Amino acid sequence: MQEKRKNVRLPIKLKLEVSNLFKQDGVKIENLDAEIEVFDISKAGIGFMSLSKLPVNYYFNATIEFENREEVILSVVKILYVTPIGNAGYRYGCEFVGLPSMYDYIFEEYAQNL
């Protein structure tokens, strides 16, 4: 199968916590404390799994720290889709919203060091 994505997905293992979700119309969901495990990342977004059911089309703030790097990526992430994975929870696909291209070099260097 031919890859149709604009950006290559890179494997990564990160554990994050989503505390708050929000929508552009001001709707908020607070105090979630949902643990997520990021399994891939690209310039466009992240894929993660969680035992928590999170709603699609909501946003959360993310701090991404790559191993052995000083730089930190601060971004807003939008949940695009969710797929149940049996008793293991849910698989999510998300996009970075407004991630500046100045971070591109971090992804390129990370890909070279895999």
Side-chain angles (χ1 to χ4, degrees), residues 6 9 29 41 51 65 74 85 101-102:
K6 292 179 186 176
R9 290 183 179 196
I29 301 173
I41 191 166
L51 293 175
E65 297 180 47
L74 304 173
I85 49 176
S101 60
M102 67 183 226

Side-chain angles (χ1 to χ4, degrees), residues 25-108:
D25 59 5
V27 175
K28 291 183 183 178
I29 301 173
E30 299 181 313
N31 302 316
L32 288 172
D33 301 325
E35 291 185 10
I36 67 173
E37 188 170 330
V38 180
F39 56 82
D40 70 24
I41 191 166
S42 74
K43 293 178 189 178
I46 60 173
F48 70 85
M49 295 190 320
S50 179
L51 293 175
S52 300
K53 175 86 188 244
L54 304 173
V56 173
N57 294 321
Y58 273 74
Y59 301 81
F60 62 92
N61 294 312
T63 302
I64 308 291
E65 297 180 47
F66 288 88
E67 189 176 315
N68 300 325
R69 296 198 64 91
E70 292 184 25
E71 298 92 349
V72 173
I73 295 176
L74 304 173
S75 179
V76 174
V77 177
K78 180 180 181 183
I79 300 173
L80 297 178
Y81 67 86
V82 58
T83 305
I85 49 176
N87 294 334
Y90 303 91
R91 180 182 174 113
Y92 294 88
C94 303
E95 71 177 341
F96 291 122
V97 178
L99 186 67
S101 60
M102 67 183 226
Y103 289 123
D104 287 355
Y105 77 96
I106 295 174
F107 292 98
E108 291 162 6

Side-chain angles (χ1 to χ4, degrees), residues 6-23:
K6 292 179 186 176
N7 299 293
V8 175
R9 290 183 179 196
L10 305 169
I12 193 166
K13 290 189 182 219
L14 295 172
K15 291 194 182 219
L16 304 173
E17 185 174 278
V18 176
S19 298
N20 302 307
L21 294 172
F22 56 91
K23 286 185 100 170

